[in-house]
């Protein structure tokens, strides 16, 4: 019998869509996948070479459960180089991905009933991680018309004595919104008056920011709050290393000490070979990051152009990450040619899936009715995917006609 907690937590709708697409493909369907949450680039050659060299050198054994000293030092250099953040080795941990790292970071501070503030639209797993801890997600809505900025007044109103953590994510998944240094300063002002609130800053999309937006992170703009901020990052999105499973964090020693206890009892250290590759990623050339970012920007612009032709979709311009979050409110309530009613964004995602395009419905992000489209795919796929999407949306007619 499963635990009460796990029976209450919904499985990720992103995973459900992924599985449905696999089934359809196996049945011979021709699908364009605009649901992907990972770079379509290959891991750079120098990083792959470092992994192969590590295998030949026998770097194939358990490592310390919070990561190797070599990778921690590379992470420390990265934090100084990119974020102006100085950490000693005890203030850094490595884990098998940012996702389990954030889940663990929550697990070591949350008691049942504690509240965690999340700005919606929110990445589905940030919510699931809180629920797995038997804690309570508290949603603060952000609006497309305000560039999805977390409004300090709404944030303040959401804080209670039970608030334990504020989970920030910029650039955001699914909106691509980027919090400016000024936005973060305003959030810091609120936090200074509520010192019991800790912060996890999920910075996974740091290197995918389109100018004129600029990446900033809370610990950098509010060093006085550093004692309660965990800054999380990873190799997945920046270096096209989703399968290598390396995430890392810098933060206060007390929080790291808790993570070390948990890792020592549960996960053990991340893959030794991936950690060796991680040193090459963080210490090696960084110039391709800007080239990749430019490619994502061009694809975003292409997607926005093509989406402008789709009847019923409204799209705000993302400033970062590789997603476009399209409002599909005008299509809700319409019906397909077989009389089926599009009552939710999930119905719409199913309808466009039948037309050969995989998207993720807004229910996954606690802000609806929307579809999330990924531009981490070729220009040809973006054009053909949105053409199919447009055709599928054009088929929908007002109910009763
Ligand atoms: C906001 C955000 N954080 C974390 C992750 C997962 O990172 P990792 O691959 O390091 O576990 C994702 C993946 O989709 C993400 O969108």
């Amino acid at each position: 019998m499963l635990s009460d907690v796990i029976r209450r937590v919904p499985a990720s709708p992103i995973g459900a869509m992924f599985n449905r697409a696999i089934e359809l493909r196996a049945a011979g369907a021709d699908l364009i996948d605009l649901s992907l949450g990972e770079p379509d680039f290959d891991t750079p050659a120098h990083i792959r070479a470092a992994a192969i060299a590590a295998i030949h050198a026998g770097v194939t054994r358990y490592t310390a459960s919070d990561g190797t000293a070599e990778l921690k030092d590379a992470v420390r250099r990265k934090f100084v180089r990119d974020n102006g953040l100085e950490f000693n080795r005890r203030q850094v941990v490595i884990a098998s991905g940012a996702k389990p790292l954030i889940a663990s970071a929550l697990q070591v501070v949350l008691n049942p009933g504690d509240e965690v503030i999340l700005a919606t639209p929110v990445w589905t797993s940030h919510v699931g991680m809180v629920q797995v801890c038997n804690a309570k997600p508290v949603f603060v809505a952000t609006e497309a018309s305000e560039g999805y900025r977390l409004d300090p007044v709404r944030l303040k109103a959401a804080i209670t004595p039970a608030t334990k953590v504020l989970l920030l994510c910029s650039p955001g998944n699914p909106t691509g919104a980027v919090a400016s240094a000024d936005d973060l300063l305003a959030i810091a002002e609120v936090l200074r008056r509520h010192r019991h609130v800790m912060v996890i800053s999920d910075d996974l999309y740091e290197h995918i920011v389109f100018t004129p937006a600029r990446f900033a992170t809370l610990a950098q703009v509010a060093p006085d709050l550093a004692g309660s901020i965990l800054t999380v990052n990873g190799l997945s999105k920046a270096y096209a290393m989703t399968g290598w499973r390396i995430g890392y964090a810098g933060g206060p020693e007390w929080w790291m000490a808790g993570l070390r206890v948990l890792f020592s009892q549960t996960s053990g250290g991340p893959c030794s070979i991936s950690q060796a590759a991680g040193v090459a990623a963080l210490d090696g050339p960084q110039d391709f990051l800007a080239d990749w970012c430019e490619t994502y920007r061009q694809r975003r612009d292409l997607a926005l152009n093509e989406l402008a032709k789709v009847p019923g979709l409204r799209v705000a311009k993302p400033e970062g990450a590789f997603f476009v979050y399209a409002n599909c409110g005008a299509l809700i309530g319409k019906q397909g040619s077989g009389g089926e009613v599009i009552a939710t964004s999930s119905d719409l995602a199913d309808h466009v899936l039948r037309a050969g395009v995989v998207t993720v419905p807004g229910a996954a992000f606690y802000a609806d009715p929307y579809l999330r489209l990924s531009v981490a795919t070729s220009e040809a796929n973006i054009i053909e995917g949105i053409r199919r999407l447009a055709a599928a949306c054009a088929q929908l007619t007002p109910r009763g006609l």
Side-chain angles (χ1 to χ4, degrees), residues 296-360:
Y296 290 127
R297 190 193 60 75
Q298 287 171 9
R299 291 168 174 178
R300 173 204 65 177
D301 290 346
L302 174 68
L304 292 179
N305 251 335
E306 297 303 304
L307 283 166
K309 303 174 198 160
V310 182
L313 291 187
R314 262 189 304 122
V315 184
K317 191 174 184 175
E319 302 168 306
F322 39 59
F323 304 110
V324 174
Y325 204 46
N327 183 304
C328 57
L331 300 172
I332 301 302
K334 292 199 168 185
Q335 64 182 27
S337 50
E340 73 283 9
V341 177
I342 305 296
T344 63
S345 65
S346 301
D347 294 341
L348 184 63
D350 280 342
H351 174 73
V352 302
L353 184 60
R354 286 191 292 276
V357 196
V358 192
T359 60
V360 183

Side-chain angles (χ1 to χ4, degrees), residues 258-307:
L259 280 167
R260 261 179 219 113
V261 171
L262 185 66
F263 293 163
S264 74
Q265 296 288 13
T266 58
S267 56
C271 169
S272 58
I273 301 152
S274 296
Q275 291 191 73
V279 175
L282 292 175
D283 281 349
Q286 305 293 309
D287 45 331
F288 64 91
L289 297 176
D291 297 341
W292 286 3
C293 184
E294 175 56 17
T295 301
Y296 290 127
R297 190 193 60 75
Q298 287 171 9
R299 291 168 174 178
R300 173 204 65 177
D301 290 346
L302 174 68
L304 292 179
N305 251 335
E306 297 303 304
L307 283 166

Side-chain angles (χ1 to χ4, degrees), residues 66-236:
D66 62 342
T68 63
E70 291 79 9
L71 184 51
K72 283 188 201 164
D73 286 348
V75 164
R76 291 168 58 210
R77 286 188 285 274
K78 179 263 175 252
F79 274 129
V80 170
R81 179 178 70 226
D82 296 341
N83 313 111
L85 295 175
E86 297 223 19
F87 296 111
N88 65 41
R89 264 195 206 158
R90 287 183 309 284
Q91 290 180 299
V92 170
V93 297
I94 316 293
S96 302
K99 190 172 180 173
L101 204 168
I102 297 168
S104 301
L106 289 167
Q107 210 181 331
V108 301
V109 298
L110 293 178
N111 293 309
D114 284 345
E115 295 176 0
V116 176
I117 297 181
L118 302 148
T120 57
V122 59
W123 181 43
T124 199
S125 293
H126 283 156
V127 182
M129 292 167 186
V130 173
Q131 292 166 328
V132 166
C133 292
N134 230 333
K136 185 176 162 211
V138 173
F139 298 117
V140 177
T142 67
E143 307 297 334
S145 58
E146 296 168 6
Y148 293 111
R149 299 285 180 281
L150 175 56
D151 174 34
V153 176
R154 268 177 253 154
L155 168 64
K156 190 172 163 222
I159 296 176
T160 73
T163 307
K164 202 69 168 283
V165 176
L166 165 66
L167 214 166
L168 297 175
C169 182
S170 164
N173 174 4
T175 63
V178 177
S180 68
D182 282 347
D183 297 332
L184 294 173
L185 278 171
I187 291 170
E189 250 331 283
V190 175
L191 295 172
R192 284 188 188 105
R193 273 178 252 121
H194 300 278
R195 291 276 177 175
H196 65 293
V197 180
M198 296 168 258
V199 179
I200 296 177
S201 180
D202 180 340
D203 296 355
L204 259 273
Y205 295 96
E206 167 180 19
H207 290 293
I208 312 174
V209 173
F210 314 126
T211 46
R214 268 171 166 265
F215 177 80
T217 192
L218 188 69
Q220 184 182 19
V221 306
D224 56 314
L225 299 177
S228 53
I229 302 173
L230 192 75
T231 305
V232 181
N233 213 319
L235 305 181
S236 290

